[in-house]
Amino acid sequence: LFLSNYADMIGISFKSSIKYFPEYKTIFTGNPCSENALMIEAMQKSELGLTESSKLVLIVMGSLGSEKINNLLIKTMNSFENKPYQVLFVTGKDLYEEVSKNKFPKNVFVVPYIDNMTRIMKKTDVMVSRAGASTLSEIIALKVPSILIPSPYVPDNHQYKNAIDLVEKDAAILIEEKDLTGELLIEKIDYILNNPSKAFEMKQNLEQFNVKSSATVI
C-alpha cells in the first residue's frame, strides 16, 4: 500500500527509485490507470461533433483546468483556423462558461470536461496536457504523442520530474509553463502532425515505459 501511494505521488520517476527497496519484497506494478485505459471502449468522434477522418489535437489541463493557460489559448485559437486538423479544447468544469463566450474557428471545439477521457484519447493524434502520474500512465498505455506542460504549482515540482523521464527518452515534448506561448505550442503540434516518422518514434519510445496488466497485478 505504501509503495502504491508513493508511486502515485511521484509518478513515473518511482520506477528508477525501486532499486532502493529490498528486491525480494518489492514489485513495481505501474499505475492501474494504464490497464483501465486499454480496456475502455473508444469514443466515436461524432459524439463531440468531430469529424472521424480529421486528425485530432486534444488540449486538457485537468478536470479543473488552468485559468492562466485558458487565457493564453483563447488568444491562440484563431491561429488554428486554417489548420488541416481539429482541436478539442477542454476548459475545465468551472472555467467553461467564461471561455465559451468567445468565438472560435469551426475546427475548434470547446467542452468543459469529458468523463472517461481515455475514450477520446484513443482517437487523439496529439495531446497537450499536464503531467500527473495518472495522465502519463494513460498516455503511455495508449501511446499518444504528447506535449506536456507540467503544473508548477504542485509539491516538489513532481509533474516536471514525471515529464522529464519521457522527454529524455524522446517519448514526449516538454514546454514549461513559464516558456509557453501560442506560437510555440502550434509549432510543436505541427511538428508532430507534419512528421509521421516523429509521431511513430514517440509511440515506439513510449513502449519502454509501459507496464502491462498493472491493475491485475495489484
Side-chain angles (χ1 to χ4, degrees):
L1 181 60
F2 164 76
L3 293 179
S4 176
N5 289 339
Y6 189 63
D8 187 59
M9 181 179 70
I10 63 174
I12 307 302
S13 298
F14 176 73
K15 191 171 185 179
S16 61
S17 303
I18 199 169
K19 62 186 177 183
Y20 298 109
F21 295 89
E23 183 177 350
Y24 71 95
K25 54 179 173 180
T26 306
I27 298 172
F28 180 75
T29 66
N31 191 307
C33 291
S34 59
E35 185 176 354
N36 295 339
L38 290 170
M39 295 177 66
I40 198 167
E41 183 180 356
M43 176 183 287
Q44 296 300 312
K45 289 183 180 179
S46 59
E47 293 182 41
L48 298 171
L50 300 163
T51 303
E52 200 70 36
S53 59
S54 295
K55 289 188 176 181
L56 177 62
V57 177
L58 172 62
I59 304 177
V60 55
M61 296 292 124
S63 60
L64 298 179
S66 165
E67 185 173 7
K68 180 178 179 180
I69 292 181
N70 279 0
N71 289 337
L72 181 146
L73 290 171
I74 288 168
K75 298 174 184 176
T76 302
M77 285 299 161
N78 284 335
S79 299
F80 286 114
E81 185 168 10
N82 296 316
K83 298 294 183 180
Y85 51 79
Q86 296 184 319
V87 177
L88 183 58
F89 177 15
V90 183
T91 65
K93 297 174 182 177
D94 295 337
L95 303 174
Y96 173 74
E97 185 175 351
E98 191 63 31
V99 174
S100 63
K101 293 176 183 177
N102 296 273
K103 186 176 181 180
F104 298 115
K106 291 182 179 179
N107 62 328
V108 174
F109 298 77
V110 182
V111 297
Y113 194 67
I114 302 170
D115 292 325
N116 297 320
M117 190 76 66
T118 50
R119 295 184 64 217
I120 194 62
M121 285 174 64
K122 288 189 170 187
K123 297 291 186 74
T124 295
D125 296 281
V126 176
M127 183 170 178
V128 181
S129 79
R130 293 301 199 189
S134 297
T135 298
L136 291 194
S137 294
E138 293 165 349
I139 284 173
I140 290 167
L142 300 177
K143 297 185 178 62
V144 182
S146 63
I147 299 167
L148 302 176
I149 307 170
S151 172
Y153 313 109
V154 296
D156 198 31
N157 202 22
H158 69 259
Q159 285 202 8
Y160 176 84
K161 296 173 183 177
N162 289 346
I164 207 67
D165 274 358
L166 272 64
V167 172
E168 288 177 348
K169 298 293 186 181
D170 292 324
I173 290 174
L174 171 70
I175 303 177
E176 292 192 65
E177 187 171 301
K178 62 183 177 62
D179 300 324
L180 181 65
T181 65
E183 293 78 9
L184 179 59
L185 180 61
I186 292 175
E187 175 190 323
K188 298 301 184 183
I189 291 172
D190 287 351
Y191 173 61
I192 297 172
L193 290 180
N194 294 333
N195 293 276
S197 60
K198 180 60 181 179
F200 179 77
E201 177 190 16
M202 293 174 77
K203 291 179 181 183
Q204 292 292 101
N205 291 337
L206 284 168
E207 178 60 32
Q208 62 191 295
F209 294 95
N210 199 13
V211 181
K212 296 178 172 60
S213 304
S214 293
T216 300
V217 172
I218 290 172

